[in-house]
């Protein structure tokens, strides 16, 4: 895709098509996302609609190409496009390299003429002048019709279909310069009495097209580097898997792996799909997910993730997630989706790009007409026509919307890719933009500030049942719960080999606990709210003392009496204290919002330095608190990991999920932090600020080139200062504008978070 106005024109064409409900074309990623009614249109029809614009859609399907859906997605999304881009860049390089010597020669001739006018050097001899006079049209013909083919095609499509883009502007400008020069040479005698026939613009055609082709070549080379993150992620995917089928080992392509396949991984091998180890032990390098360089010990029943590297030992694991279900596939999909999405700040650039080309065409013709109308009386027709042509070509050449179109998407692509490498998955560009404005971060306690893996640290028996029996009943109830505290109790009974019973009529009591029947008797397990609902008398003084130390009570009771209490403690994540401190350094207020006990929450908050604590809240109360903060003018980011956090994550201006949490939380959030690392939250905010600064700088560069360049090229400053921009310098400025924008975006890759 050659320019921002191309993207705008394609998008408009799609939206005008019957049956299309939404269309979004991204110039940065050169992709289109279209939603349509298959009964009214189809991809082939949509492809035909954009052919007048010089584009088509790849409408091949996975079946037609003999590929799996994942392979096909990679083929269309990255591998094919990169292969095509590399071929295109190689072609551009050949043409640019052939044109540069011709441009250097033309600049030398122009420089000689200018210096001769000022008497610095003597003028060309007649022989040299005639040689150059006849050589330049040959060189210009090659440059225009070979190197400048895309711009001639842009001019042709404008004449045939009325569709204009950046190529159209360059095509009209250089063609007019070439055609004028050709006519002057062909009819030199009859025209001599009207105009200066010694003034031709073959050199302008040569140098402008060379500069622009060089700029587009450098831009394409730089732009392809912005997609490095996706390529590196895809390269983590194993190509084959060693499976056990029919009692023997077989090496099969990755796409043929199915659920429950037993897969052998040898030392140094990449894990092909997600699964659970069934035999053997090893150390696995999970740095692609956790960012931690140290390999992690893996034993039976431990999970392994596709793309991670087995460093030592062999093991067998059962495939639980394959194809597009794996975490790696999910990460790739999220990064691709985010890089192709559009940030709200891009709306300004889109609006300008949509009217840019026609407005520039009008300005160019007005500039030419102005010179002829006002300049003829002051300068004479010949000089006025000469200046008018210079202005006409200069305006068309310098007014390039490419930089404007690249300003936002290139920064987004680099920012999202950098985030992915740091374990920060961003769902869309709008989320990345909103994050830099956040001034309040709300965090859940369990799994966010704490490890989310609490341990049973104390048991109190009020019923003479005995500690083991109390834990057994609790374990029976909690065996059906997914809460981290339930897992702590289950880990305790497994470690102590305590038996537990089958539960019937199990029910989760939202925000309070659970209940169920064991051996015909109804039991309840939960927090103090549950006890209050049951209207049971309970001495809470001793419990409060424990909770002030950051321990969480789980109370076991019947409808009639409290039987006992177990205390569970959840360790604070080692990185949490520094993360909260770093958030404060960014001027961000921190709030802990948890359904846990107030004293426990306050003890944890005090240890890590959180500003405000709201504890013992139900999911709907978390949602209410987020709304309260927003109504007070706060821009809120919410970080959580559980099902109970999902409503609050959805309500927050930016929802941030821990990848160690539930799928519901991850799907609801706009950002996912791999490995549940709270310090990545600080990095995400810094990344957002860096990306938005880059976008604003890019937009400044894009606008400033045109704000200064177009009036200068049109000749507005000539009557006052004698300034008139040569089309040669206009071409150089246009090339530099796009390259500077892409280069500025690529600077983000080198910055540390």
């Amino acid at each position: 895709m050659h320019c921002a106005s191309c993207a705008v024109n394609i998008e408009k064409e799609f939206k005008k098509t019957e049956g299309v409900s939404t269309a979004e074309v991204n110039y940065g990623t050169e992709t289109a996302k279209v939603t349509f009614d298959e009964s009214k249109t189809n991809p082939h029809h949509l492809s035909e609609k954009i052919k007048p614009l010089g584009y088509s859609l790849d409408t091949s399907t996975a079946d037609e190409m003999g590929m799996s859906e994942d392979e096909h997605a990679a083929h269309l999304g990255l591998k094919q496009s990169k292969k095509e881009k590399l071929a295109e860049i190689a072609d551009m390089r050949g043409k640019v390299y052939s044109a540069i010597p011709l441009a250097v020669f033309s600049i030398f001739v122009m420089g000689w003429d200018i210096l001769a006018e000022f008497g610095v050097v003597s003028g060309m001899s007649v022989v040299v002048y005639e040689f150059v006079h006849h050589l330049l049209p040959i060189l210009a013909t090659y440059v225009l019709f070979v190197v400048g083919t895309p711009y001639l095609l842009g001019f042709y499509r404008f004449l045939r279909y009325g569709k204009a883009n950046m190529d159209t502007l360059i095509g009209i400008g250089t063609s007019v310069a070439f055609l004028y020069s050709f006519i002057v040479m062909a009819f030199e005698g009859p025209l001599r009495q009207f105009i200066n026939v010694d003034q031709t613009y073959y050199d302008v055609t040569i140098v402008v097209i060379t500069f622009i082709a060089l700029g587009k070549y450098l831009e394409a080379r730089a732009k392809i580097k912005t997609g490095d993150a996706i390529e590196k992620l895809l390269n983590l995917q194993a190509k084959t898997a060693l499976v056990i089928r029919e009692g023997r080992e077989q090496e099969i392509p990755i796409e043929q792996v199915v659920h429950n396949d037993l897969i052998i991984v040898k030392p140094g091998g990449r894990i092909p799909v997600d699964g659970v180890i069934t035999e053997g032990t090893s150390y696995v390098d999970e740095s692609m997910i956790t960012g931690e360089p140290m390999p992690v010990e893996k034993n039976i029943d431990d999970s392994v993730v596709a793309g991670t590297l087995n460093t030592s030992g062999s093991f067998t694991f059962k495939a639980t997630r394959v194809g597009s279900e794996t975490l790696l596939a999910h990460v790739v999909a999220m990064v691709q989706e985010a890089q192709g999405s559009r940030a709200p700040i891009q709306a300004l650039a889109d609006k300008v790009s949509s009217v840019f080309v026609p407005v520039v065409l009008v300005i160019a013709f007005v500039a030419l007409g102005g010179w002829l109308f006002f300049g003829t009386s002051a300068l004479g027709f010949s000089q006025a026509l000469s200046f008018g042509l210079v202005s006409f070509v200069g305006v068309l050449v310098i007014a390039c919307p490419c930089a404007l179109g690249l300003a936002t998407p290139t920064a987004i692509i680099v920012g999202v890719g950098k985030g992915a490498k740091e374990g920060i998955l961003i769902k869309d560009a709008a989320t990345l933009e909103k994050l830099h404005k956040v001034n309040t971060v709300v965090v859940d306690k369990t799994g966010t500030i704490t490890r989310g893996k609490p341990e049973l640290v104390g048991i109190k028996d009020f019923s003479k049942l005995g500690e083991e029996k109390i834990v057994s009943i609790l374990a029976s109830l909690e065996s059906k719960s997914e809460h981290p505290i339930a897992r702590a109790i289950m880990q305790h009974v497994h470690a102590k080999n305590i038996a537990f019973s089958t539960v019937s009529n199990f029910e989760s009591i939202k925000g309070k606990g659970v209940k169920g029947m064991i051996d015909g008797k109804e039991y309840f397990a939960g927090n103090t709210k549950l006890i209050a609902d049951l209207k049971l008398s309970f001495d809470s003084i001793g419990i409060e003392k424990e909770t002030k130390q950051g321990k969480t009570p789980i109370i076991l009771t019947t409808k009639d009496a409290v039987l006992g209490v177990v205390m569970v403690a959840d360790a604070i994540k080692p990185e949490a204290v520094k993360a909260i401190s770093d958030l404060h350094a960014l001027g961000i207020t921190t709030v802990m919002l948890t359904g846990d006990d107030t004293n426990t929450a306050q003890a944890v908050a005090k240890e890590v330095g959180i500003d405000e604590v709201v504890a013992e809240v139900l999911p709907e109360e978390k949602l209410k608190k987020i709304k309260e903060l927003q109504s007070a003018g706060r821009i809120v980011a919410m970080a959580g990991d559980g099902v109970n956090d999902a409503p609050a994550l959805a309500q927050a201006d930016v929802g941030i999920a821990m990848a160690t949490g539930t799928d519901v939380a991850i799907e609801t959030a706009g950002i996912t932090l791999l490995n549940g690392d709270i310090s990545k939250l600080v990095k995400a905010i810094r990344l957002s600020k860096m990306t938005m600064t880059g976008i604003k700088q890019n937009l400044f560069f894009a606008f400033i080139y045109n704000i200064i360049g177009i009036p200068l090229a049109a000749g507005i400053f000539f009557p006052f200062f004698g300034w008139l921009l040569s089309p040669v310098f206009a071409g150089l400025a246009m090339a530099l504008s796009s390259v500077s924008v892409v280069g500025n975006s690529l600077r983000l890759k080198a910055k540390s978070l």
Side-chain angles (χ1 to χ4, degrees):
M1 197 174 288
H2 299 125
C3 73
S5 50
C6 297
V8 172
N9 288 337
I10 292 169
E11 192 170 292
K12 281 182 178 176
E13 205 61 43
F14 283 148
K15 286 178 177 176
K16 286 192 296 185
T17 306
E18 186 184 5
V20 172
S21 52
T22 63
E24 191 174 293
V25 179
N26 188 298
Y27 174 45
T29 56
E30 302 186 0
T31 56
K33 186 176 179 181
V34 187
T35 310
F36 59 90
D37 183 346
E38 287 186 286
S39 65
K40 295 179 180 176
T41 189
N42 58 62
H44 293 284
H45 180 237
L46 291 171
S47 185
E48 290 297 318
K49 293 287 285 185
I50 61 172
K51 277 195 176 170
L53 303 173
Y55 295 96
S56 61
L57 294 176
D58 187 337
T59 57
S60 60
T61 64
D63 289 339
E64 288 170 354
M65 300 187 74
M67 294 180 174
S68 69
E69 288 294 340
D70 293 328
E71 277 187 311
H72 186 246
H75 175 82
L76 294 180
L78 175 86
K79 292 176 183 172
Q80 177 67 5
S81 61
K82 182 158 186 179
K83 184 179 176 183
E84 289 172 352
K85 289 304 290 183
L86 289 172
E88 183 185 337
I89 288 170
D91 180 59
M92 291 168 76
R93 181 173 58 245
K95 289 178 178 178
V96 167
Y97 284 2
S98 69
I100 285 174
L102 311 186
V104 170
F105 175 75
S106 299
I107 291 169
F108 172 75
V109 171
M110 282 192 288
W112 192 344
D113 284 342
I114 291 168
L115 292 173
E117 278 184 34
F118 289 99
V120 177
V121 298
S122 58
M124 294 181 188
S125 66
V126 175
V127 174
V128 173
Y129 175 80
E130 285 299 321
F131 173 74
V132 171
H133 190 61
H134 289 90
L135 179 62
L136 280 177
I138 297 170
L139 302 183
T141 302
Y142 168 77
V143 172
L144 178 63
F145 290 96
V146 177
V147 182
T149 304
Y151 313 118
L152 290 179
L153 289 173
F155 190 8
Y156 164 76
R157 282 190 286 269
F158 174 66
L159 294 175
R160 180 170 179 183
Y161 303 110
K163 307 291 185 183
N165 60 15
M166 185 277 288
D167 292 349
T168 307
L169 299 181
I170 306 303
I172 293 174
T174 53
S175 297
V176 166
F178 181 87
L179 193 60
Y180 172 83
S181 304
F182 180 80
I183 292 169
V184 166
M185 278 192 69
F187 303 100
E188 188 174 324
L191 291 174
R192 186 175 292 277
Q193 57 183 314
F194 303 106
I195 58 174
N196 179 9
V197 294
D198 294 328
Q199 180 71 60
T200 59
Y201 298 100
Y202 289 123
D203 47 8
V204 168
T205 301
I206 294 167
V207 178
V208 165
I209 287 178
T210 301
F211 274 155
I212 289 169
L214 176 61
K216 297 303 285 181
Y217 165 64
L218 294 175
E219 175 195 314
R221 266 185 51 178
K223 205 165 84 167
I224 204 165
K225 292 178 185 175
T226 62
D228 285 352
I230 288 283
E231 184 179 17
K232 285 177 181 174
L233 286 169
L234 282 173
N235 287 339
L236 292 172
Q237 177 66 65
K239 303 295 183 288
T240 60
L242 188 63
V243 302
I244 301 173
R245 287 185 181 171
E246 298 173 358
R248 61 188 181 90
E249 296 179 11
Q250 300 178 37
E251 188 167 5
I252 61 172
I254 187 72
E255 60 272 10
Q256 292 180 16
V257 176
V258 296
H259 292 107
N260 298 321
D261 262 342
L262 289 176
I263 301 170
I264 298 169
V265 183
K266 295 182 177 178
R270 285 212 178 268
I271 294 164
V273 296
D274 295 359
V276 176
I277 294 177
T278 57
E279 183 183 333
T281 62
S282 184
Y283 284 86
V284 176
D285 179 354
E286 295 187 326
S287 56
M288 61 157 274
I289 295 173
T290 64
E292 296 298 324
M294 289 296 291
V296 180
E297 186 178 4
K298 294 289 181 178
N299 298 298
I300 292 171
D301 292 334
D302 285 343
S303 59
V304 289
V305 175
T308 54
L309 187 66
N310 180 29
T311 61
S312 62
S314 294
F315 62 87
T316 303
F317 75 96
K318 183 168 71 174
T320 56
R321 291 181 177 179
V322 300
S324 59
E325 301 167 351
T326 66
L327 177 61
L328 178 61
H330 183 64
V331 169
V332 171
M334 278 189 75
V335 174
Q336 283 182 321
E337 184 75 16
Q339 289 187 337
S341 63
R342 203 176 274 175
I345 197 172
Q346 194 174 336
L348 173 63
D350 287 345
K351 283 179 183 176
V352 173
S353 296
S354 66
V355 297
F356 195 85
V357 172
V359 167
V360 167
L361 280 170
V362 170
I363 292 172
F365 280 106
V366 167
L368 175 59
W371 275 106
L372 293 176
F373 185 77
F374 297 107
T376 300
S377 57
L379 303 169
F381 177 75
S382 179
Q383 190 70 10
L385 177 62
S386 177
F387 283 174
L389 282 170
V390 167
S391 292
F392 178 79
V393 176
V395 168
L396 292 178
V397 168
I398 201 168
C400 173
C402 288
L404 204 56
L406 287 167
T408 302
T410 52
I412 293 292
I413 291 166
V414 173
V416 168
K418 187 176 181 68
K421 289 178 185 176
E422 295 281 352
I424 303 162
L425 301 186
I426 299 156
K427 190 173 281 186
D428 54 46
T431 298
L432 188 62
E433 180 177 337
K434 277 188 277 189
L435 187 59
H436 89 287
K437 298 177 183 176
V438 164
N439 51 28
T440 303
V441 169
V442 176
V443 293
D444 178 39
K445 181 181 77 69
T446 307
T448 304
I449 295 297
T450 61
R451 290 183 185 275
K453 294 180 180 177
E455 298 175 357
L456 196 152
V457 294
I459 306 168
K460 293 192 177 183
D461 177 16
F462 300 143
S463 61
K464 306 281 196 290
L465 286 173
E467 291 184 359
E468 187 171 312
K469 182 64 175 175
I470 286 171
V471 173
S472 174
I473 296 169
L474 269 174
S476 303
L477 290 169
E478 298 290 5
S479 65
K480 292 183 174 289
S481 172
E482 292 184 356
H483 195 280
I485 289 174
R487 289 199 291 271
I489 294 170
M490 295 310 297
Q491 284 170 0
H492 181 82
V493 298
H494 287 310
K496 300 289 184 181
N497 290 318
I498 298 172
F500 54 95
S501 308
T502 304
V503 178
S504 58
N505 299 330
F506 176 84
E507 185 182 332
S508 176
I509 305 167
K510 205 171 184 182
K512 297 173 184 176
V514 295
K515 69 175 182 177
M517 301 288 291
I518 301 173
D519 297 329
K521 192 169 183 178
E522 189 173 39
Y523 292 94
F524 297 82
N527 56 23
T528 52
K529 283 188 176 183
L530 181 64
I531 304 305
D533 284 355
L534 293 170
K535 296 183 172 56
L536 295 174
S537 60
F538 179 61
D539 180 14
S540 59
I541 295 173
I543 298 296
E544 284 181 10
K545 189 177 178 182
E546 298 269 14
T547 55
K548 283 177 181 175
Q549 298 172 12
K551 298 173 184 175
T552 301
I554 304 298
I555 305 163
L556 176 66
T557 177
T558 62
K559 279 189 175 179
D560 305 314
V562 174
L563 303 178
V565 179
V566 299
M567 304 304 296
V568 173
D570 185 6
I572 291 169
K573 290 182 178 179
E575 67 272 12
V577 176
K578 187 175 186 309
I580 298 301
S581 174
D582 288 343
L583 287 172
H584 289 155
L586 291 169
I588 293 170
T589 303
T590 53
V591 179
M592 181 189 285
L593 204 55
T594 177
D596 212 341
D597 178 87
T598 300
N599 291 319
T600 304
Q602 285 179 340
V604 171
K606 185 178 179 182
E607 189 170 341
V608 298
I610 286 172
D611 300 314
E612 182 185 344
V613 179
V614 183
E616 298 183 26
V617 288
L618 299 174
E620 53 266 31
E621 291 171 329
K622 286 188 178 185
L623 180 64
K624 185 180 176 184
K625 181 62 180 178
I626 298 289
K627 288 180 177 177
E628 277 179 19
L629 290 167
Q630 289 171 326
S631 63
R634 310 296 291 175
I635 299 169
V636 181
M638 163 78 184
D641 72 335
V643 174
N644 63 331
D645 297 321
L649 287 170
Q651 175 63 36
D653 296 287
V654 179
I656 301 167
M658 303 294 167
T660 47
T662 63
D663 289 342
V664 175
I666 292 169
E667 288 302 318
T668 307
I671 292 175
T672 301
L673 305 181
L674 293 180
N675 199 37
D677 186 347
I678 187 69
S679 66
K680 286 184 169 70
L681 172 55
V682 182
K683 288 185 176 182
I685 293 171
R686 286 181 185 147
L687 177 66
S688 174
K689 290 180 182 292
M690 281 166 44
T691 305
M692 291 311 300
T693 299
I695 289 172
K696 288 170 184 175
Q697 289 169 344
N698 287 348
L699 288 172
F700 171 78
F701 290 143
F703 278 116
I704 204 72
Y705 273 108
N706 289 311
I707 289 169
I708 295 172
I710 292 175
L712 187 59
I716 287 176
F717 299 111
F718 186 82
F720 310 104
F721 308 106
W723 296 347
L724 186 63
L725 186 68
S726 163
V728 170
F729 291 107
L732 181 61
M734 193 225 78
L736 287 174
S737 66
S738 294
V739 174
S740 63
V741 162
V742 178
N744 189 53
S745 294
L746 286 171
R747 279 193 319 117
L748 289 172
K749 294 175 85 171
K751 288 191 174 183
S752 62
L753 295 177

